[in-house]
């Protein structure tokens, strides 16, 4: 059996995978580039099959207890008057701050962690994979999993350069801390200028608010790990915006050490595995924050990968294709983000008026109810058992 499994990335996908692999008797090691868990970020949704995964991990009650409890979204004008409101929340689903979810997942996984390091090279043969690290000595593993996000190092080493797999969707986004008094309790407030959005997210259960920014743009040249460059790009994109609270939000965001910036990109791959190396989470299929499904896909995908490995007695040749076959349909569905982007960041003033009119109409509620009806509850998720 392939027992020793290296997981690159200690976030939603990597932590979920490590937890299930350990339960099934594998020996996972998690390597994370950051010096500690990166436990921050905005609200993420645990819904549908991800609720089942969290229940089976024994953390769903804690997730409910820590819920962000955001009840609605409002679009405002320059004078901070609501021009349209949309209730949010799906029956059974829970929105939780990403950092809280990361901490809860970590609590379920008693495994080996290596922080402050990264895989540098992978060399696979018939019996395993020799891994060199930036800092730690070389090691042998039976399998290697890339759960290291949209800019995955494992994907680059095993499958090829990022440009082949990451599709740019015409926007950039940033999240950071914000002054809570600028937003409304339990509400996501959004202010638009053509092709730009500045917003504030206020959870009901956290004193700290999150500011966020999205802007439409052609491709920009920058280093995805150079935070000083990210700050400059966002500052430049919103430099002329002095209306609403944009200036104050921007000043607070740029001062936040945990400022988070990325391209609105999507990862599209024909296959998620190559020999003894496999990808999960954003590294394999990032649908982008505009999908609202990053956490759901990460939890369900990692659960399925661990389960298929267990059911196949660790035989990756049997498990990897089954993992992929079982999870692709959900990923493909969540890649459809066009309507969400148009809703959050209308391109023109006319587009913004239309969005506001639609948001004020009963249409979003009717469509939401219809979708819930058609889905008729969470689809069943297999319970995997280790092969004897
Ligand atoms: C700090 C942070 C804040 C985020 N905030 C939000 C948010 O507010 N809203 C939202 O919708 N999504 C957010 N995301 C993205 C969201 O977590 C993912 O879209 C989704 O949940 C899938 O998770 P993932 O585990 O696949 O990838 P990610 O969450 O992107 O995690 C990848 C992990 O791999 C680590 N890593 C990267 N490269 C290496 C390497 N070479 N070696 C070892 N480790 C590596 C990263 O540090 C990170 O911990 C955030 C991600 C991060 C890392």
């Amino acid at each position: 059996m392939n027992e020793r499994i290296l997981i690159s990335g200690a976030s939603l996908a990597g932590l979920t995978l490590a937890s299930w692999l350990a339960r099934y008797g594998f020996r996972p090691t998690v390597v994370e580039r950051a010096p500690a868990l990166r436990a921050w970020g905005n609200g993420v949704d645990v819904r549908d099959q991800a609720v089942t995964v969290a229940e089976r991990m024994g953390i769903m009650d804690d997730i409910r207890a820590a819920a962000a409890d955001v009840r609605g979204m409002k679009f405002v004008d320059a004078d901070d008057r609501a021009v349209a409101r949309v209730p949010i929340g799906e029956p059974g689903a829970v929105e939780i701050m990403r950092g809280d979810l990361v901490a809860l997942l970590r609590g379920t996984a008693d495994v080996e962690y290596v922080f402050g390091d990264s895989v540098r090279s992978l060399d696979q043969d018939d019996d395993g994979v020799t891994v060199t690290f930036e800092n730690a000595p070389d090691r042998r593993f039976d399998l290697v999993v890339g759960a290291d996000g949209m800019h995955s190092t494992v994907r680059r080493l095993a499958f090829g350069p990022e440009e082949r797999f990451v599709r740019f969707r015409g926007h950039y986004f940033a999240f950071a801390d914000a002054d809570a008094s600028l937003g409304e309790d339990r509400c996501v407030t959004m202010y638009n200028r053509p092709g730009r959005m500045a917003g504030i997210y206020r959870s009901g259960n956290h004193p700290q608010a999150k500011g966020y920014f999205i802007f439409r743009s052609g491709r920009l040249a920058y280093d995805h790990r150079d935070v000083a460059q990210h700050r400059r790009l966002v500052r430049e994109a919103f430099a002329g915006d002095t209306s609403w609270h944009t200036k104050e939000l921007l000043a607070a965001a740029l001062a936040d050490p945990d400022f988070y910036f990325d391209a609105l990109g999507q990862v599209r791959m024909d296959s998620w595995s190559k020999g003894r190396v496999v990808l999960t989470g954003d590294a394999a299929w990032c649908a982008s924050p505009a999908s609202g499904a990053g956490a759901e896909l990460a939890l369900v995908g990692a659960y399925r990968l661990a389960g298929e490995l267990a059911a196949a007695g660790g035989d990756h040749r049997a498990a990897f294709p089954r993992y992929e076959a079982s999870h692709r349909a959900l990923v493909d569905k969540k890649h459809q983000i066009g309507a969400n982007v148009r809703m959050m960041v209308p391109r023109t003033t006319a587009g913004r008026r239309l969005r506001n009119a639609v948001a004020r109409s009963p249409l979003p509620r009717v469509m939401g109810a219809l979708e819930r009806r058609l889905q008729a509850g969470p689809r069943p998720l297999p319970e995997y058992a280790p092969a004897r």
Side-chain angles (χ1 to χ4, degrees), residues 103-179:
L104 287 171
L105 290 170
R106 162 83 188 256
T108 67
D110 186 13
V111 303
E112 179 192 10
Y113 288 96
V114 180
F115 283 102
D117 209 346
S118 166
V119 168
R120 198 176 55 194
S121 73
L122 299 170
D123 185 12
Q124 51 173 318
D125 51 50
D126 288 349
D127 300 322
V129 190
T130 301
V131 180
T132 67
F133 294 92
E134 288 181 1
N135 302 315
D138 303 359
R139 275 172 79 171
R140 278 288 277 179
F141 291 92
D142 299 313
L143 303 172
V144 173
V145 185
D148 41 2
M150 186 162 78
H151 305 290
S152 169
T153 299
V154 170
R155 190 186 59 225
R156 176 172 52 76
L157 293 172
F159 295 81
E162 180 164 319
E163 306 77 70
R164 280 175 44 196
F165 308 110
V166 178
R167 289 197 200 166
F168 177 55
R169 298 295 308 260
H171 294 76
Y172 291 88
F173 67 91
F175 302 122
D177 280 353
D179 175 356

Side-chain angles (χ1 to χ4, degrees), residues 8-14 31-33 38 40-44 98 117-119 147-149 153 175 260 280-282 289 294-295 298:
S8 173
S11 180
L12 304 184
V31 58
E32 164 60 48
R33 188 187 278 287
R38 302 174 72 192
W40 62 86
N42 268 1
V44 294
R98 179 186 171 280
D117 209 346
S118 166
V119 168
D148 41 2
T153 299
F175 302 122
Y260 181 77
T280 195
D282 277 8

